[in-house]
Each structure stands twice: as C-alpha cells, then as structure tokens.
Amino acid sequence: QPTLTQPPSVSGAPGQMVTISCTGRYSTAGYDIHWYQQFPGTAPKLLIYGNNNRPSGVPDRFSGSRSGTSASLAISGLQAEDEADYYCQSYDNSLSGHVVFGGGTKLTV
Amino acid sequence: QVVESGGGLVQPGGSLRLSCAGSGFPFGRYAMSWFRQAPGKGLEWVGLIRSEDYGGTIDYAASVTGRFTISRDDSKSIATLQMNRLETDDTAVYYCAKGAGGTYRGFSWFDPWGQGALVTVSS
C-alpha cells in the first residue's frame, strides 16, 4: 500500500472545480507535498511543488494546500485537457530513501 | 532536460543498463533519481544518487536493493541504472528525474522527468 493515500478517481464537468486529497501518516507529517500530472503514455510533469507553488507555465487554475498529514490539489474551471492522472509525492522519515508517492488519481472531465 | 536510453527486452535473470543524460543545468550539482511505472500502475521510486557535494551517496528502494546499482559520471552529465537479476515484476517504464538540490530533503521535488525507457522482462 502506498504511504500516501489518494482516491482512485474523481470526476467533474467542464467549468466545475474538483479537489484531490492526499493523506499521509505520522512519518510524513510536516514535510512538503508535491503534485505531478501525467497524461497516458507520457512522463509525469511537476504541477505543484512545496505544497502550493506553481512552476512557470502551470495555469493558476491549479492550486495546492497542506494541513497536518493531509494535502489537497484543487483544479478550478475544469477543462477537457485536464483529464489525466495526478500523483502526490512527499518525504517519509521512516523509510530508507524517504521518497514516497500516492497511488494516483484518475481525473475524468 | 533529461533523456533516458537503453531500454529493451530481457529474459528473467538477465541484465540491462539504462542511461540518463542531463542538459541545460549544472548536472554535477543535483541529485538524480530513478523511478518506474509498471503497466497500468502508479509511480514507484527506485533509487537516488546525491551530488558529490553530498558524498555521491545512494539510496535504493527495498524492492531493488542488491540487484540494481546507480552511478553517475558528472564529466559526461550522465546517470546510469545498472539492473541485474531482473525479474518479471521489474517490467515497467523507467524514468529518471533531476532532484531539487544536491540531496533529498523533506521539501524536495523532482523536475524535469525524462520521456521514459521501457524495460520488458520476459522469456
């Protein structure tokens, strides 16, 4: 089981807002959460870093938040091209190497 | 950017080596990490090599420890993943990515990612 828990799927209509949750455990508490977007057959792309920061080029429709051992990715003004898989990533101080991912969430628009 | 090469078909018990070439950034100053994604599955971290500023030390996921080896040649801006004693469960697309700094910390992310290299382990 992934250290970070995400819902397997979410859906929303164009123009609506959806949120994707990412829940960790005590060993991930206090560490930053990052989000990646992946389209079928392509590499993951950094979407949000440091809980709520957008790399250059990422629309402000995408936003992140963090509270305790949980985090959320919000996507407002849904567009058809947002349909993709979304993964959260963080640091787990109980594991060698420390890199952990959520299981991924499939967004259907 | 980073670009992987070296994927292919290999029999169980065989070996394969993947390369990751970095460009457009000071390669030697950054940690480089390998990930994989089995068909229809999520992302899995494989291992990470720190920059020489942090001793060039390496961490591996438990699933590959003792079978996979990560190295780097900063003079050529290349990171390498040597995979030995491959198993059918190692079948996946393998990605390399640049770390956010010379090591991996509680705030670290990975960007950019390469396009991926498909490794198929089958008889």
Side-chain angles (χ1 to χ4, degrees):
Chain A
Q1 291 288 359
T3 300
L4 303 173
T5 301
Q6 299 179 234
S9 64
V10 298
S11 64
Q16 288 186 333
M17 184 178 79
V18 296
T19 60
I20 299 173
S21 62
C22 174
T23 303
R25 52 191 188 189
Y26 72 93
S27 53
T28 62
Y31 299 112
D32 284 356
I33 295 284
H34 319 290
W35 293 91
Y36 301 87
Q37 178 188 57
Q38 185 181 34
F39 297 106
T42 69
K45 169 194 164 186
L46 180 67
L47 192 65
I48 296 287
Y49 67 94
N51 302 317
N52 55 15
N53 300 287
R54 287 185 306 277
S56 174
V58 174
D60 59 7
R61 301 187 296 104
F62 295 89
S63 62
S65 62
R66 181 88 160 97
S67 178
T69 58
S70 295
S72 291
L73 172 69
I75 310 172
S76 62
L78 270 178
Q79 299 179 5
E81 55 261 39
D82 297 333
E83 189 162 293
D85 294 323
Y86 294 84
Y87 294 89
C88 58
Q89 174 246 314
S90 189
Y91 183 103
D92 188 322
N93 64 25
S94 70
L95 298 176
S96 171
H98 311 298
V99 183
V100 290
F101 286 96
T105 299
K106 169 66 177 177
L107 168 63
T108 301
V109 180
Chain B
Q1 65 173 359
V2 294
V3 178
E4 301 95 342
S5 60
L9 173 65
V10 61
Q11 292 187 338
S15 298
L16 203 62
R17 184 168 65 186
L18 303 181
S19 295
C20 171
S23 62
F25 63 95
F27 187 85
R29 294 181 58 183
Y30 290 91
M32 298 300 295
S33 192
W34 287 93
F35 305 87
R36 67 184 180 183
Q37 187 170 35
K41 303 296 184 181
L43 297 171
E44 180 187 10
W45 173 73
V46 171
L48 174 146
I49 183 166
R50 296 172 180 80
S51 71
E52 287 303 321
D53 286 344
Y54 291 90
T57 54
I58 306 165
D59 289 322
Y60 298 98
S63 57
V64 306
T65 296
R67 299 188 300 123
F68 289 14
T69 302
I70 296 174
S71 60
R72 63 188 299 157
D73 183 340
D74 292 340
S75 68
K76 298 180 179 178
S77 298
I78 290 177
T80 300
L81 177 65
Q82 175 67 43
M83 303 180 289
N84 299 327
R85 293 175 9 229
L86 282 160
E87 305 165 354
T88 55
D89 284 349
D90 295 319
T91 294
V93 175
Y94 285 73
Y95 298 100
C96 72
K98 167 182 159 288
T103 187
Y104 182 66
R105 303 179 191 273
F107 55 81
S108 297
W109 61 90
F110 299 96
D111 179 63
W113 294 55
Q115 84 287 358
L118 177 62
V119 172
T120 304
V121 184
S122 175
S123 55

